[in-house]
């Protein structure tokens, strides 16, 4: 068979049933063979290659499986780059397959030739260029193994056109189970566990900071078990808001720049901090010189390179979160830190009175982001797959959607990619058609990937898009107001008639301006499983608070 057909056979052997892509000249031999695989592989034609890679991300994040996208050489391949970088920093397992000019033309600046291997080397877990059809089975097997083991990440496989056209001796596909020098699951060191247990047992004010690694390793039960047995409060990064039921008595909120007032202040009171599956990013720590100087830090992390990169822990456990949390929960002494947990409550109440109540239950003025998200959270009972774009809509969604068991949060946390929300939502809904999938997006991010409404319409993908329209690049405007003397420099992004745009793609849509119409409009949006865009005109100059200002310590968080 040809290399193109061998590639499709490899995908089938890996259980791939959905691929997102966009055809072009050099990848045409693969699409020619794909024509005959329509009953086995569901190819979703996106309206832009960026849509394909973000959809693959959404698919992967919603399932834990590898998302697959395809593009042609040159501009097709480079249009995947932002999504690949996004997947790398957010540990998302995807495989991007790109075609390349024929091998004899490599390096000649052939039409639509780009050195995509060189371009993506810093932003992939592994990449490889196939120049012979016989290489395809082994390389594809290795790609899938690397993408989903250890700390997940993106793989790029570039295949020359002659490798797709030429024949190969493909008889049996052998999945990869080992790569020399690659040890994806570090063995749990019992001595490190015992040291951590002793530290936790002696703590008076312990605090768990739970990151994306908890979700990636499906360690939600183990996280709750440790928290409940040792009586430890849990705070989550935005990438792990579904890591613990938000109504759990030990859950104290989201940490970070726009996180919980109580969590950020109490971080600088904790005597022991257990960081699980997080990188201690600057949006979590604020000014490092002012971060948790009083605390002894235990860092649980599968990627050895992340340990000590930003924070030097007192104890490190280089292991996946599920295994480490299970070991700790079985070994720590039962404890009750009720007074410590209760001490979060007055600070939280202060935030409720000064920020939250005004955001979710305003009585006058324009509609606010928080009330839209809170109302949708109540109507979906906190069980939806929530996808966000980037900016104020992202922070508001993370703050005011109350995640329950069975929910998910898909957001661009590390790279902060505007335009992520709609195509990632498409991928999530394709992956989980039985779930309610809701994308929250601002008017800026909406305009970056609005063309994927065409993908939704053509494939009847029942994604619900909530467009929070303040006619600004809201997050940039907020920073310009707060830190640049109110000089609004090129942030007024008055957009088109979004309802007409949506209807042009035959997607149902409605615009809400008055508060009295909001509840009924949300009910209409959620009434069926068809694509829908709900545009809500929100307060133009609303700020997301509380906030840790750039350069400030986490305990210097401001409520106004």
């Amino acid at each position: 068979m040809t290399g193109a057909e061998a590639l499709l056979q490899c995908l089938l052997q890996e259980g791939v049933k959905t691929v997102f892509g966009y055809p072009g000249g050099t990848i045409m031999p693969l699409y020619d063979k794909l024509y005959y695989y329509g009953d086995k592989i569901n190819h979703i034609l996106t309206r832009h290659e960026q849509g394909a890679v973000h959809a693959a991300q959404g698919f992967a994040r919603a399932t834990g499986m590898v998302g697959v996208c395809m593009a042609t050489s040159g501009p097709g391949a480079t249009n995947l780059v932002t999504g690949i970088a996004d997947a790398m920093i957010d540990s998302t397992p995807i495989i991007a397959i790109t075609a390349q000019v024929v091998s004899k033309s490599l390096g000649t600046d052939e039409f639509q030739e780009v050195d995509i291997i060189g371009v993506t080397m810093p932003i992939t877990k592994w990449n490889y260029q196939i120049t012979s059809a016989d290489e395809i089975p082994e390389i594809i097997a290795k790609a899938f193994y690397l993408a989903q083991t250890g700390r997940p990440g993106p793989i790029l496989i570039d295949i020359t056109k002659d490798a797709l056209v030429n024949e190969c001796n493909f008889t049996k596909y052998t999945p990869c189970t080992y790569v020399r020098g690659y040890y994806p699951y570090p063995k749990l060191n019992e001595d490190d566990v015992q040291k951590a247990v002793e530290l936790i047992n002696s703590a008076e004010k312990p605090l768990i900071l739970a990151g994306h690694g908890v979700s990636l390793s499906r360690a939600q039960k183990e996280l709750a078990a440790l928290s409940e047995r040792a009586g430890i409060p849990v705070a989550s990064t935005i990438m792990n808001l579904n890591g613990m039921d938000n109504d759990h008595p030990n859950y104290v909120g989201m940490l970070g720049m726009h996180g919980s007032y109580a969590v950020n202040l109490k971080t600088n009171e904790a005597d022991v901090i257990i960081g699980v599956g997080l990188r201690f990013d600057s949006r979590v720590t604020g000014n490092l010189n002012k971060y948790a100087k009083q605390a002894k830090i235990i860092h649980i992390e599968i990627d050895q390179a992340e340990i000590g990169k930003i924070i030097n822990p007192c104890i490190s456990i280089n292991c996946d979160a599920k295994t480490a949390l299970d070991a700790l929960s079985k070994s720590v002494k039962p404890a009750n830190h009720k007074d410590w947990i209760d001490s979060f409550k007055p600070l939280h109440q202060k935030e409720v009175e000064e920020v939250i109540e005004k955001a979710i239950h305003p009585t006058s003025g324009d509609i606010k982001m928080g009330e839209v998200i809170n109302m949708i959270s109540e109507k979906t009972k906190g069980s939806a797959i929530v996808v966000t774009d980037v900016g104020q809509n992202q922070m508001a969604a993370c703050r005011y959607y109350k995640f329950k068991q069975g929910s998910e949060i898909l957001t661009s946390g590390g790279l902060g990619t505007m335009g992520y929300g709609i195509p990632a939502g498409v991928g999530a809904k394709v992956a989980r058609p039985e779930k309610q999938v809701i994308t929250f997006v601002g008017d800026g991010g909406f305009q970056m990937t609005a063309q994927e409404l065409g993908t939704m319409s053509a494939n009847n993908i029942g994604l619900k898009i909530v467009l929070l329209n303040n006619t600004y690049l809201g997050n940039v405007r907020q920073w310009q107001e707060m830190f640049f003397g109110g000089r609004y420099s090129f942030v007024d992004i008055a957009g088109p008639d979004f309802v007409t745009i949506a209807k042009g793609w035959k997607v149902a849509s409605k615009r809400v301006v008055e508060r009295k119409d909001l509840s009924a409009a949300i009910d209409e949006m959620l009434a069926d499983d068809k694509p829908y865009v709900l545009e809500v005109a929100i307060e133009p100059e609303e700020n997301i608070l509380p906030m840790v200002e750039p350069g400030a310590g986490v305990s210097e968080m401001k409520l106004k």
Side-chain angles (χ1 to χ4, degrees):
M1 63 179 68
T2 65
E5 188 163 5
L7 172 59
L8 295 174
Q9 288 290 335
C10 293
L11 295 180
L12 288 174
Q13 290 295 317
E14 287 289 349
V16 174
K17 296 180 180 179
T18 302
V19 173
F20 303 91
Y22 203 100
T26 56
I27 204 169
M28 213 173 295
L30 178 57
Y31 273 82
D32 183 56
K33 293 299 180 183
L34 188 59
Y35 179 87
Y36 299 100
Y37 280 73
D39 61 334
K40 298 176 182 177
I41 296 176
N42 179 27
H43 178 277
I44 303 292
L45 175 64
T46 57
R47 271 41 183 176
H48 192 285
E49 292 90 353
Q50 184 181 357
V53 67
H54 288 324
Q57 286 181 272
F59 185 97
R61 292 273 293 276
T63 61
M65 299 166 61
V66 177
V68 180
C69 61
M70 303 192 305
T72 197
S73 64
T78 57
N79 280 342
L80 299 177
V81 168
T82 296
I84 293 170
D86 194 288
M88 183 66 175
I89 199 166
D90 280 351
S91 307
T92 305
I94 65 168
I95 292 178
I97 297 169
T98 56
Q100 187 54 275
V101 300
V102 296
S103 54
K104 68 179 181 180
S105 296
L106 291 171
T108 66
D109 292 332
E110 177 82 15
F111 176 68
Q112 290 193 335
E113 180 192 3
V114 166
D115 179 11
I116 198 65
I117 295 295
V119 169
T120 61
M121 190 171 292
I123 56 169
T124 51
K125 191 175 178 182
W126 182 61
N127 64 12
Y128 188 88
Q129 186 173 77
I130 294 175
T131 58
S132 168
D134 288 326
E135 292 182 282
I136 288 173
E138 179 184 356
I139 297 305
I140 295 300
K142 183 177 178 180
F144 273 87
Y145 177 65
L146 292 174
Q148 60 194 322
T149 54
R151 180 179 178 178
I155 309 293
L156 180 129
I157 302 299
D158 193 42
I159 310 177
T160 59
K161 189 173 183 178
D162 49 318
L164 291 172
V165 172
N166 292 342
E167 292 187 347
C168 62
N169 296 316
F170 180 82
T171 56
K172 181 181 179 182
Y173 182 76
T174 304
C176 180
T177 58
Y178 172 76
V179 174
R180 191 174 70 174
Y182 172 65
Y183 305 100
Y185 299 108
K187 185 178 179 181
L188 182 67
N189 186 311
E190 296 294 344
D191 289 340
D192 292 337
V193 171
Q194 190 54 42
K195 291 175 184 176
V197 166
E198 292 172 1
L199 193 55
I200 293 169
N201 287 343
S202 66
E204 295 182 2
K205 296 180 178 182
L207 177 62
I208 295 173
L209 305 182
H212 191 203
V214 172
S215 296
L216 289 174
S217 61
R218 301 294 190 261
Q220 289 91 340
K221 290 182 180 178
E222 289 76 12
L223 174 65
L226 176 60
S227 171
E228 290 164 4
R229 180 175 173 83
I232 305 176
V234 176
S236 290
T237 67
I238 66 168
M239 299 291 288
N240 187 53
L241 290 173
N242 62 313
M244 193 171 195
D245 193 319
N246 289 184
D247 288 337
H248 194 288
N250 288 3
Y251 183 73
V252 291
M254 182 175 82
L255 55 91
M257 177 175 279
H258 289 290
S260 163
Y261 184 65
V263 169
N264 282 292
L265 268 63
K266 288 296 179 178
T267 294
N268 275 8
E269 290 185 27
D271 58 355
V272 173
I273 291 176
I274 305 110
V276 188
L278 78 163
R279 299 180 293 113
F280 287 103
D281 175 82
S282 61
R283 291 295 175 101
V284 166
T285 65
N287 188 328
L288 278 174
N289 293 324
K290 300 178 180 181
Y291 182 73
K293 294 301 180 183
Q294 77 297 334
K296 295 179 179 179
I297 295 177
I298 301 167
H299 193 181
I300 300 170
E301 172 59 50
I302 197 170
D303 186 353
Q304 178 69 50
E306 294 293 347
I307 297 175
K309 187 172 81 174
I310 296 173
I311 295 289
N312 288 317
C314 176
I315 299 166
S316 63
I317 300 177
N318 181 207
C319 187
D320 75 281
K322 189 179 187 74
T323 301
L325 287 170
D326 184 57
L328 289 174
S329 65
K330 290 177 179 177
S331 301
V332 296
K333 293 179 180 178
N336 185 333
H337 295 288
K338 185 177 183 301
D339 290 345
W340 167 233
I341 294 174
D342 285 347
S343 72
F344 285 73
K345 294 177 182 178
L347 293 172
H348 177 66
Q349 185 58 36
K350 181 179 176 67
E351 182 182 354
V352 168
E353 293 172 359
E354 297 191 25
V355 176
I356 295 175
E357 192 62 25
K358 296 175 184 177
I360 66 176
H361 295 131
T363 56
S364 61
D366 294 327
I367 300 171
K368 292 184 177 291
M369 290 176 277
E371 68 177 304
V372 178
I373 293 156
N374 179 68
M375 190 176 292
I376 292 173
S377 178
E378 291 177 346
K379 289 179 181 292
T380 59
K381 298 179 170 54
S383 63
I385 294 177
V386 172
V387 188
T388 83
D389 207 78
V390 168
Q392 286 186 319
N393 66 89
Q394 177 187 36
M395 294 298 105
C398 291
R399 281 184 56 80
Y400 296 118
Y401 195 89
K402 303 302 179 187
F403 294 87
K404 303 288 182 66
Q405 287 188 353
S407 64
E408 299 278 350
I409 172 69
L410 280 62
T411 190
S412 175
L415 198 63
T417 303
M418 287 182 67
Y420 171 92
I422 295 175
V426 165
K429 184 63 179 178
V430 169
R432 302 283 300 279
E434 80 287 358
K435 291 284 291 185
Q436 187 71 264
V437 182
I438 301 171
T439 283
F440 293 101
V441 62
D443 45 316
F446 185 97
Q447 293 180 73
M448 287 190 171
T449 48
Q451 68 274 1
E452 299 311 327
L453 293 179
T455 307
M456 293 166 56
S457 177
N459 297 278
N460 195 30
I461 298 168
L463 174 66
K464 309 300 183 180
I465 298 173
V466 180
L467 167 57
L468 301 172
N469 187 358
N470 57 13
T471 72
Y472 280 112
L473 295 175
N475 212 42
V476 181
R477 184 214 58 77
Q478 177 172 336
W479 280 49
Q480 288 178 346
E481 175 192 329
M482 297 177 71
F483 312 127
F484 292 87
R487 295 181 293 277
Y488 291 177
S489 180
F490 302 101
V491 289
D492 186 338
I493 190 168
D497 183 334
F498 290 105
V499 170
T500 299
I501 293 290
K503 289 182 177 178
W505 268 300
K506 299 181 174 61
V507 174
S509 183
K510 176 169 284 188
R511 173 178 167 86
V512 174
V513 178
E514 300 291 335
R515 180 169 287 112
K516 63 181 177 60
D517 300 324
L518 181 60
S519 180
I522 293 172
D523 288 339
E524 179 181 315
M525 176 182 72
L526 299 176
D528 56 33
D529 199 37
K530 295 180 180 179
Y532 199 102
V533 174
L534 175 61
E535 179 192 1
V536 184
I538 58 170
E539 182 181 326
E541 297 186 47
E542 179 186 359
N543 289 338
I544 298 293
L545 296 167
M547 182 178 186
V548 178
E549 295 185 3
V554 290
S555 61
E556 298 170 328
M557 194 174 211
K558 292 187 175 180
L559 291 170
K560 61 177 102 176

